[in-house]
């Protein structure tokens, strides 16, 4: 939690069903990762043809699939598989009163310093210190301004009049709309404590220094759960949600030994939080926060109750007590999770080319659950009508159940490499045996190739759907 902002807010691989996969440690090289992301259509610089917009990123055809799979899996385990969580989708444009009450207007800021030499705006904690003297990390300049607070919220105007009365903000976190809609959702869902409200959506922060690819962006997505409870349940639920969230990352292919739980010390925690954990990941650029899990007490609901004058209390029918619920908040970044998945999945190994000569193979070892494309489908030759027809029948068979990709161009080895590089876990090849030309008993069978082991298995077309679905789930 508190992704370096203070108030007001505070060794094992687990490929699940696909346990045959070998985990290969990624090559920690951000340059290669950024280049692959662009080359294969995962992530592009926003507004690139105009020189780029700093801190904003566009996800390409594969990136959008990966991101969706992450969000869908989060929604599946946090909302659909539970009786005690419901979802919502709040607006991005936020009334200033909401963010005044939450403390963002006053305090959602980072300490900023300018370098008078190179004119860089710097976050105060990014200065380097040499022999006790603070310096600009860009030019080494020592002529620095005093620290001042820079509010990270993006302000805009609603309607035609651009005056004080028309100010609105792009939300800096999705959480506030959950607090503000607490009473409505409680009424319509008829949930009893403890229960949660989940949301996935965009958030905006005018970061002083966006950096490390998508890690620190100005526009990003969050997956947040506000889990409301009685005061006495807060600390226990903080532990519970920390463990649940660790399981989530393991289940999408980030092994436990690459995740670290940092107990946020008292002096770094938001004043209202009774306990906060940061779940961190070993990125190639260092150990950094993926998600915060914070026990925020009754701070947010109490603030909104005070400021709006509307009761946000919960009535306990058993004890006949009225009180403001407390809340535990697991708050994850979609973009950071996607970046961690790409970093974790990236590897280079040696594999034979068509002529048996060893070559470097770039592979993304995505867990099948989150891989953008689940299966490549290849006719051995593109100019053989029977092979092509059969392969297209397999596409039709699988398409209603998973995202598949048909590819007939180039040598089969090249086609496998192209899919390996984008993390497609399975490949189906239709060959002459499928047509029963050599051995009638092999008619209507195909080879099923595993991306990680590169092993091929002969399977009946009629079994393909079930086999793949089991390995992907
Ligand atoms: N509602 C609590 C909250 O927003 P946070 O620690 O500021 O807490 C939660 O943010 C998560 O959102 C972070 O752990 C991170 O994954 C993501 N996040 C925050 N700022 C980000 C940024 N500038 N770029 C990308 N992701 C960011």
């Amino acid at each position: 939690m508190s992704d370096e902002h203070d108030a007001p807010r505070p060794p094992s691989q687990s490929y699940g069903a696909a346990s045959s996969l070998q985990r290969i440690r990624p090559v920690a090289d951000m340059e290669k990762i950024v280049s692959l992301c662009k080359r294969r259509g995962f992530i592009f610089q926003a507004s690139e043809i105009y020189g780029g917009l700093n801190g904003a990123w566009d996800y390409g055809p594969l990136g959008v699939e990966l991101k969706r799979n992450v969000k869908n899996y989060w929604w599946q385990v946090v909302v659909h598989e539970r009786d005690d969580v419901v979802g919502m989708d709040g607006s991005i444009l936020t009334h200033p009163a909401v963010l005044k009450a939450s403390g963002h207007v006053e305090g959602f800021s980072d300490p900023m310093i300018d370098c008078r030499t190179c004119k860089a705006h710097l976050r105060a904690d990014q200065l380097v210190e040499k022999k006790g003297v603070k310096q600009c990390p860009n030019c080494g300049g020592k002529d620095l301004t005093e620290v001042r607070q820079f509010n990270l919220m993006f302000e805009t105007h609603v309607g035609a009049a651009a005056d004080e009365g028309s100010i609105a903000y792009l939300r800096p976190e999705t959480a506030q709309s959950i607090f503000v809609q607490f009473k409505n959702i409680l009424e319509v869902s008829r949930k009893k404590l403890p229960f949660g409200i989940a949301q996935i959506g965009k958030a905006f922060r005018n970061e002083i220094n966006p950096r490390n690819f998508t890690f620190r962006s100005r526009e990003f997505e969050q997956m947040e759960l506000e889990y409301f409870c009685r005061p006495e349940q807060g600390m226990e639920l903080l532990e519970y949600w920390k463990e649940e969230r660790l399981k989530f990352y393991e289940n999408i292919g980030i092994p436990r030994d690459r995740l670290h739980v940092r107990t946020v010390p008292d002096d770094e925690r938001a004043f209202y939080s009774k306990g906060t954990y940061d779940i961190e990941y070993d990125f190639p650029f260092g150990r950094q926060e993926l998600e915060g899990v914070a026990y925020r007490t009754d701070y947010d609901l109490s603030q909104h109750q005070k400021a709006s004058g509307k009761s946000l209390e919960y009535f306990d029918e058993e004890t006949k007590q009225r009180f403001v619920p407390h809340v535990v908040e697991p708050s994850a970044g979609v973009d950071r999770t996607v970046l961690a998945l790409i970093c974790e999945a990236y590897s280079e190994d040696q594999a034979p080319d068509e002529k048996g000569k060893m070559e470097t193979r770039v592979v993304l070892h995505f867990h099948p659950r989150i891989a953008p494309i689940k299966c490549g489908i290849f006719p051995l030759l593109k100019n053989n009508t029977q092979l092509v027809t059969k392969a297209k029948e397999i596409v039709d068979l699988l398409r209603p159940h998973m995202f598949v990709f048909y590819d007939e161009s180039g040598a089969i080895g090249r086609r496998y490499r192209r899919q390996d590089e984008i993390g497609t876990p399975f490949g189906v090849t239709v060959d002459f045996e499928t047509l029963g030309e050599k051995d009638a008993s092999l008619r209507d069978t195909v080879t099923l190739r595993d991306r990680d082991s590169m092993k091929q298995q002969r399977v009946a077309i009629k079994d393909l759907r079930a086999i793949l679905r089991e390995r992907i789930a």
Side-chain angles (χ1 to χ4, degrees), residues 1-5 9-10 108 172-175 205 207 214-222 224 226 278 289-292 296 329 331-336:
M1 161 73 192
S2 78
D3 184 52
E4 294 105 47
H5 306 298
R9 359 118 274 154
F108 193 65
E173 59 176 13
T174 67
R205 297 181 189 177
E207 297 284 354
T214 57
F215 179 83
R216 188 176 304 289
S217 312
R218 291 186 168 130
E219 174 175 343
F220 55 95
E221 260 182 293
Q222 290 184 315
E224 296 200 296
E226 304 303 326
D278 282 348
E289 178 187 326
L290 268 184
E291 164 160 1
R296 296 171 71 123
E329 176 199 66
S331 171
V334 178
D335 310 78
R336 283 191 191 178

Side-chain angles (χ1 to χ4, degrees), residues 394-410:
I394 295 172
V395 171
D396 292 339
L397 175 80
L398 296 179
R399 196 164 260 170
H401 307 279
M402 65 197 74
F403 189 32
V404 298
F405 183 76
Y406 173 81
D407 187 4
E408 60 179 27
S409 67

Side-chain angles (χ1 to χ4, degrees), residues 321-339:
Q321 277 181 321
R322 256 175 224 288
F323 60 95
V324 176
H326 281 220
V327 74
V328 172
E329 176 199 66
S331 171
V334 178
D335 310 78
R336 283 191 191 178
T337 305
V338 164
L339 183 59

